[in-house]
């Protein structure tokens, strides 16, 4: 037998299959793409925990503060206002007097749709939480060896971290014991962030009953409750509540070819063809799960990173901060695009306020970066913070550093093609999330208010 011929045959077959998949969009999403369905008791527990401010040091912030059902599971802001702010979405303020926020959160709060799909093995814009079978816990994370065993999946690992952040949920040093532990980097143990929060939950009888129901073979008494059990329940809720795979695009992929109009089908062809979107927004969830530098504007307080000659920490090197590899500078994770019309603002710093603007950026990234219009930024003002928010965008040399790392090629589309592409992106909306009020509980076991 001629092995060479067989290989060539296979190669041709493989190219044809890939090309076809490219033209017609990816394979449809199925139940098997997601983690196994958790019990109702676990999901119900996760739902109240997600909305309960008891998990924050000063009992004033919940996960939902930045990932609310009424704001597309994000917060509708370029950059979140965590601990100390008041209000939800675009009505949120930066607080006042001694309670005012300490600083803005440096990155956009992403939506939480479809993160219960197993292919999301990496979390955060820079991927600092990831599945890693070489670790005892099964994951790499900023907690290193402090991360407990027994976390169900990367989504559960992620849920361990917002409570450890001073700006997001813990509060500032001196304000409460959780904040003090967080400031000292003590996460595990009874006096660590997670132990202190577990103690709060153990003291609320309604929570004890809910934990027992969610973990019948594991939790018998209040003392058995660990924070990782809360994180696993939160992940179970997120997985179940925000599975969004019934958009018109999904129905089209499952065989109902009438779900897309002619205009939308042309947009889809552009997405997977001429406009080259599908090269990074690939696969069933329209992400290659990889990291790319696409010259996104940098606004806000930054992640403490500095190009040569600067020391204000206002930049965000993205993936480089995790890998230590300078080739990863300004690379961020490719976002999934389901429900993208519901999740403005866009980009790792939320710099673009509309879908049109972020797509135009993709068509001509360098021009778009240089001509970036800061007036579109949607976040509550605070005089003593504002002035600093655009220092990178006001500095041509620093913008040039971002441009030099850009990997995204420009694409020429006329206005008709642009409109088609946008109309396709709207077919990715799962209409059940146009009204997501049922995913908000009417009360939480701590008795704390649900108002943000
Ligand atoms: C103050 C705002 C804020 C609060 C409160 C908050 N988050 Fe987030 N969340 C963010 C931001 C900002 C990011 C992105 C951070 C990054 O990538 O560096 C994020 C990222 C995430 C992600 C990762 C999404 C992805 O695609 O990688 C998940 C999941 C998530 N948060 C869930 C939660 C849960 C669960 C809680 C409560 C335990 C919570 N968040 C509390 C702002 C917040
Ligand atoms: C080279 C890879 C690459 C290509 C090609 C690409 N994108 Fe992106 N896209 C990304 C990355 C990476 C981000 C996030 C960047 C960031 O946060 O700084 C992103 C962000 C987005 C966002 C914002 C989503 C959000 O949740 O913030 C949209 C919308 C989007 N892309 C649509 C498109 C469209 C439409 C095309 C084709 C015209 C396209 N992309 C081509 C990599 C790519």
């Amino acid at each position: 037998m001629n092995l060479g011929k067989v290989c060539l045959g296979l190669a041709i077959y493989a190219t044809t299959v890939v090309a076809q998949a490219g033209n017609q969009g990816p394979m449809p999403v199925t139940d098997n793409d997601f983690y196994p369905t958790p019990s109702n008791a676990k999901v119900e527990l996760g739902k109240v925990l997600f909305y309960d401010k008891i998990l924050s040091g000063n009992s004033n912030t919940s996960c939902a503060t930045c990932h609310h059902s009424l704001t597309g599971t994000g917060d509708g802001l370029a950059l979140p206002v965590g601990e100390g702010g008041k209000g939800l979405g675009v009505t949120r303020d930066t607080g006042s007097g001694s309670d005012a926020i300490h600083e803005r959160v440096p990155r956009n709060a992403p939506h939480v749709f479809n993160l219960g799909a197993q292919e999301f093995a990496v979390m955060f814009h820079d991927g600092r939480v990831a599945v890693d079978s070489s670790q005892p816990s099964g994951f790499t994370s900023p907690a290193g060896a402090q991360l407990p065993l027994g976390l169900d999946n990367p989504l559960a690992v992620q849920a361990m971290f917002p409570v450890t952040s001073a700006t997001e949920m813990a509060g500032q040093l001196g304000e409460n014991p959780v904040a003090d532990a967080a400031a000292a980097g003590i996460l595990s143990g009874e006096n660590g962030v997670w132990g202190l929060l577990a103690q709060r939950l153990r003291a609320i009888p309604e929570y004890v009953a809910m934990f027992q129901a969610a973990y019948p073979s594991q939790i018998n008494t209040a003392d058995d409750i660990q924070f990782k059990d809360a994180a696993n329940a939160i992940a179970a809720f997120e997985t179940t509540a925000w599975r969004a795979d019934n958009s018109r695009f999904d129905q089209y992929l499952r065989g109902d070819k009438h779900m897309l109009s002619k205009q939308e089908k042309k947009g889809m062809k552009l997405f997977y063809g001429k406009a080259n979107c599908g090269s990074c927004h690939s696969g069933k969830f329209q992400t290659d799960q990889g990291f790319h530098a696409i010259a996104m504007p940098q606004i806000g307080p930054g992640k403490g990173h500095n190009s040569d000659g600067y020391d204000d920490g206002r930049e965000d090197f993205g993936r480089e901060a995790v890998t230590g590899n300078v080739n990863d500078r300004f690379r961020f994770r490719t976002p999934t695009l389901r429900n993208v019309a519901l999740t403005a603002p866009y980009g790792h710093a939320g710099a673009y306020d509309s879908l049109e603007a972020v797509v135009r950026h993709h068509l001509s990234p360098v021009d778009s970066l240089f001509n970036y219009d800061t007036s579109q930024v949607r976040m509550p003002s605070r005089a003593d913070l504002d002035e600093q928010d655009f220092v990178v965008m006001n500095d041509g040399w620093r913008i040039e550093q971002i441009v030099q790392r850009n990997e995204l090629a420009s694409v020429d589309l006329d206005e008709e093609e642009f409109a088609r592409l946008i109309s396709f992106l709207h077919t990715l909306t799962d209409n059940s999330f146009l009204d997501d009020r049922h995913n908000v509980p009417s009360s939480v076991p701590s008795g704390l208010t649900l108002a943000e």
Side-chain angles (χ1 to χ4, degrees), residues 49-50 55 61-67 75 80-83 105-112 115 120 122-128 155 158-163 167-169 227 234 238 303 333 336:
L49 286 167
F50 194 89
L55 296 188
T61 314
S62 73
C63 304
T65 300
C66 302
H67 305 282
D75 61 0
V81 175
E83 229 285 321
V105 176
R107 287 185 180 153
N108 177 259
H111 69 78
V112 190
L115 296 182
F120 290 90
V122 168
M123 293 284 141
F124 290 121
H125 293 293
D126 55 13
R128 64 187 180 279
L155 199 49
Q158 191 287 328
M160 301 293 285
F161 289 96
V163 298
T167 311
E168 291 190 3
M169 293 180 82
F227 191 76
I234 288 173
E238 293 171 309
K303 283 292 278 185
R333 201 175 100 216
T336 158

Side-chain angles (χ1 to χ4, degrees), residues 260-279:
L260 301 190
S261 70
K262 270 200 182 130
Q263 160 99 345
E264 292 160 349
K265 281 181 191 159
K266 284 181 182 161
M268 182 176 105
K269 243 194 181 147
L270 286 166
F271 186 95
Y272 288 106
K274 179 178 168 185
N276 201 30
C277 315
S279 65

Side-chain angles (χ1 to χ4, degrees), residues 58 60-61 80-86 92-105 166-168 171-173 175 380-385:
N58 293 325
N60 59 3
T61 314
V81 175
E83 229 285 321
K86 285 196 176 55
R92 195 161 174 79
D93 65 27
T94 52
S96 56
S98 60
D99 291 339
I101 61 162
H102 188 70
E103 58 184 353
R104 293 190 199 282
V105 176
T167 311
E168 291 190 3
Q172 302 299 319
L173 180 65
E175 289 179 351
S381 148
R382 190 177 136 192
D384 55 332
L385 294 175

Side-chain angles (χ1 to χ4, degrees), residues 19-65:
Q20 274 177 4
N23 276 332
Q24 296 168 3
M27 299 292 287
V29 172
T30 69
D31 290 352
N32 291 336
D33 291 315
F34 293 85
Y35 303 120
T37 311
S39 70
N40 282 340
K42 198 168 169 182
V43 172
E44 285 305 313
L45 171 61
K47 181 173 178 173
V48 285
L49 286 167
F50 194 89
Y51 285 89
D52 200 336
K53 296 176 189 164
I54 194 81
L55 296 188
S56 62
N58 293 325
S59 297
N60 59 3
T61 314
S62 73
C63 304
T65 300

Side-chain angles (χ1 to χ4, degrees), residues 64-331:
T65 300
C66 302
H67 305 282
H68 206 285
S69 272
L70 303 183
T71 43
T73 74
D75 61 0
L77 297 172
L79 299 171
V81 175
E83 229 285 321
K86 285 196 176 55
L88 174 65
V90 295
T91 70
R92 195 161 174 79
D93 65 27
T94 52
S96 56
S98 60
D99 291 339
I101 61 162
H102 188 70
E103 58 184 353
R104 293 190 199 282
V105 176
R107 287 185 180 153
N108 177 259
H111 69 78
V112 190
F113 294 117
N114 288 325
L115 296 182
Q118 315 199 30
E119 70 162 68
F120 290 90
V122 168
M123 293 284 141
F124 290 121
H125 293 293
D126 55 13
R128 64 187 180 279
V129 159
V131 171
D132 180 352
S133 56
S134 73
Q135 301 296 321
S137 66
F139 305 94
T140 40
S141 82
Q146 293 195 71
L147 194 72
L149 307 183
L151 285 156
D152 289 346
N153 51 49
L155 199 49
V157 178
Q158 191 287 328
M160 301 293 285
F161 289 96
V163 298
T164 69
S165 154
T167 311
E168 291 190 3
M169 293 180 82
Q172 302 299 319
L173 180 65
E175 289 179 351
N176 65 74
V178 175
D180 294 348
I186 304 168
L187 307 181
S188 61
E190 278 301 284
N191 295 318
V193 171
W194 298 322
L196 292 169
L197 292 174
Q199 285 170 36
R200 289 187 185 179
L201 298 172
R202 289 173 199 152
I204 300 170
E206 194 180 338
Y207 266 126
V208 176
M210 290 186 89
F211 272 95
Q212 286 168 331
Y215 301 98
S217 59
Q218 184 198 324
I219 295 178
N220 298 312
T221 69
D223 287 347
D224 296 331
I225 296 172
Q226 302 291 324
F227 191 76
K228 67 144 173 65
D229 306 314
N232 283 333
I234 288 173
F237 166 65
E238 293 171 309
T239 299
T240 313
W242 293 314
R243 173 172 166 180
D245 64 333
N246 200 27
S247 66
R248 285 193 290 120
F249 175 62
D250 290 296
Q251 294 171 37
Y252 170 88
L253 294 178
R254 292 189 184 111
D256 195 344
K257 300 296 172 199
H258 302 294
M259 290 316 292
L260 301 190
S261 70
K262 270 200 182 130
Q263 160 99 345
E264 292 160 349
K265 281 181 191 159
K266 284 181 182 161
M268 182 176 105
K269 243 194 181 147
L270 286 166
F271 186 95
Y272 288 106
K274 179 178 168 185
N276 201 30
C277 315
S279 65
C280 296
H281 297 281
S282 59
K284 289 186 170 182
F285 293 96
Q286 293 163 311
T287 164
D288 56 3
Q289 304 291 358
F291 300 84
H292 303 276
I294 66 162
M296 277 284 183
Q298 182 57 42
I299 62 168
K303 283 292 278 185
H305 309 144
N306 292 301
S307 288
D308 292 347
Y310 290 85
D311 63 2
D312 58 14
R314 290 269 155 182
E315 290 167 74
D316 184 343
F317 287 173
R319 185 66 177 156
E320 179 187 353
V322 176
T323 63
N325 183 346
V326 68
N327 292 326
D328 286 330
R329 184 162 300 180
F330 303 129
R331 284 185 170 151

